[in-house]
Amino acid sequence: MVSEYPLFGPSGNSNSFYEQGHKKSSEAPEWLAGLGLGWYEYSCTRGANVKKETAEEIGNNAIANGIGISIHAPYYINLASSDEERLEGSRNHIYKTLEVCKNMSGRRIVFHPGSYNKESSGQALESAIGQMNLIIDEMKNMGCWQDITLCPETMGRKSQLGTLEEIMELCSIDERIIPTLDFGHLNARSGGAIRSEDDYKLILDYAENRLGSYRLKNLHIHFSHIEFNDLGEKKHLTFEDGKYGPFFEPLAMQLVKRHLTPVIVCESRDVMAEDALRMKSIYYKLIS
C-alpha cells in the first residue's frame, strides 16, 4: 500500500470497538475506516493460531475498506537464544505468522528479536543475525519474500535485544527489512531521554545514515506513552498521561519536514484507535 501521507491505526481493538457492539476482529477494518484511520495491526502475540477462513475474512474486509494490515508475531520468539530447540521454535512462530499474514493479505510482520539471557549482547546479536538469514531463506522458499516485509522492533527493557543500534544491524542484513521504531520503548529504555524534536531528529538521522532514505520514508512506527523504571519499560499508558511520554508532536514535526510516509501504529492501553486519531489530527494540523 503506497500513500503520500503517514497511515495511522491501532494495534488490536479499542474497548470502544466492543462497547459499540462489535464482536469479531473481521469487523475492525470497516470500523477503522469509518473513523478515518488507514491501518490495522492484528495481534498474534499469544500465538499465530488464526484459522485460514478467519484471516481471509479480515483481509478481504481490509481490502474492501482501504485498510493496510500488519501482524504482530508471538511474544515467544527469541532469535538470540543459545538453545537450538528454542531457536527452531522461534523460527516456526515466524513461519506460522507468515501464513496468517498471507491469508490476511498483510504486508508487514512485526516481531521482538529476543533477549540476552546468559548471552552477551554481541553473542545475542550474532545469533539473531544468523536466524534472520535462515528465516529469509525460508521466506524465499515459501514465495512470500517479495510480498511481506519483516519489521524487527526496538525494545523497551534493558534485558532485551533491541537497542536502536541492534535493530539497525538486523535491518542491514537485507534492504527489504524495515525497522519498527517503537519510540515508547526507546524512551523507556533510555530513562526518558526523548523530549524534544532534536531528540527525534538524532534517531531519524541515525536510521537514515544506516538504512538509506527509502527505508526511512517507509518506516514502521509504534507509538505510545510508557511508564518505565530503572530496568526500562514497565507498562503502556494512554495519551492522557502527561508524565512519562514520549510526546508525538515533536516527532510529527520531523515527519512533516522530512516528507516521511511511515505506518504509525498506536499501542495505547485500551484506547489505541482513539489515540491513533489524536496523532493523525496532530499531523494534519501541522501540514495545514
Side-chain angles (χ1 to χ4, degrees), residues 61-99:
N61 289 342
I63 292 170
N65 288 280
I67 301 294
I69 293 278
S70 52
I71 314 288
H72 198 304
Y75 288 146
Y76 316 124
I77 291 167
N78 186 1
L79 302 181
S81 176
S82 58
D83 183 278
E84 186 53 47
E85 186 175 344
R86 180 74 184 274
L87 291 173
E88 182 180 3
S90 296
R91 295 194 303 272
N92 286 334
H93 283 306
I94 289 185
Y95 302 150
K96 289 180 69 176
T97 306
L98 283 165
E99 288 295 336

Side-chain angles (χ1 to χ4, degrees), residues 215-245:
R215 281 190 277 181
L216 182 77
K217 186 176 179 67
N218 295 284
L219 286 171
H220 200 84
I221 290 175
H222 278 183
F223 206 93
S224 59
H225 292 194
I226 294 179
E227 181 181 349
F228 56 84
N229 56 26
D230 290 344
L231 301 177
E233 175 189 4
K234 187 174 180 183
K235 67 178 179 180
H236 284 244
L237 306 169
T238 74
F239 285 5
E240 292 302 314
D241 161 66
K243 178 180 178 181
Y244 285 96

Side-chain angles (χ1 to χ4, degrees), residues 195-202 250-251 253-254 257:
R195 301 184 181 91
S196 68
E197 185 182 350
D198 281 345
D199 296 326
Y200 286 109
K201 183 179 183 300
L202 286 172
L251 173 59
M253 293 172 71
Q254 277 291 296
K257 290 176 180 178

Side-chain angles (χ1 to χ4, degrees), residues 93 130 147 178 184 262 284 286:
H93 283 306
D147 302 317
I178 290 177
Y284 277 94
L286 288 174

